[in-house]
Amino acid sequence: HVQLVESGGGSVQAGGSLTLSCAAGRYTYKRNCMGWFRQRPGKDREGVAVLWIGGATTTYADSVKGRFIITRDKAKDLVYLQMNGLQPEDTGMYYCAADGRPCYAVPAGKYNYWGQGTQVTVS
């Protein structure tokens, strides 16, 4: 069982930065594809950033391109979402997700493993 634990959320003023962390546990073979998703108030959950570990590629939603960066620290077994230039519309619950399949094989938003989420509030 893959347990994902997010941390790093909080409140920040517009223009500020936060870095979210996702601890993905020891089942490395079950997390070939790592993603960050968010659910903003009154909106559906949406993908923010995806890291295909096996292919060493990243993908970003248009709304966060140039502001957010997804990275992985292999030694610490952590995946990060660095968020810069935060705006009030970035407010929401942010979730880490993992899947053992390559990212191209994962239907949109249909990751096998999810964290509980961490709240980000931008004012």
Side-chain angles (χ1 to χ4, degrees):
H1 179 69
V2 176
Q3 184 175 10
L4 304 177
V5 180
E6 303 97 334
S7 61
S11 297
V12 65
Q13 291 187 336
S17 299
L18 283 173
T19 297
L20 307 182
S21 300
C22 176
R26 63 186 179 187
Y27 298 97
T28 57
Y29 67 95
K30 292 187 177 181
R31 36 188 177 83
N32 191 6
C33 184
M34 300 293 299
W36 283 99
F37 291 77
R38 68 183 180 188
Q39 187 159 17
R40 295 182 286 178
K43 296 184 179 294
D44 294 333
R45 186 175 64 194
E46 60 182 342
V48 173
V50 172
L51 169 64
W52 178 22
I53 295 173
T57 60
T58 57
T59 307
Y60 298 93
D62 288 343
S63 58
V64 306
K65 279 181 182 176
R67 299 189 299 126
F68 291 11
I69 303 171
I70 184 171
T71 57
R72 175 191 179 217
D73 187 325
K74 185 177 180 180
K76 295 182 179 180
D77 218 6
L78 292 170
V79 174
Y80 300 101
L81 182 68
Q82 180 180 341
M83 305 184 294
N84 302 313
L86 285 163
Q87 300 300 317
E89 54 265 34
D90 294 314
T91 293
M93 186 69 77
Y94 283 70
Y95 299 90
C96 176
D99 200 289
R101 297 168 286 181
C103 292
Y104 61 79
V106 181
K110 301 297 185 182
Y111 287 64
N112 282 330
Y113 307 102
W114 292 85
Q116 294 299 307
T118 185
Q119 178 68 34
V120 172
T121 302
V122 186
S123 59

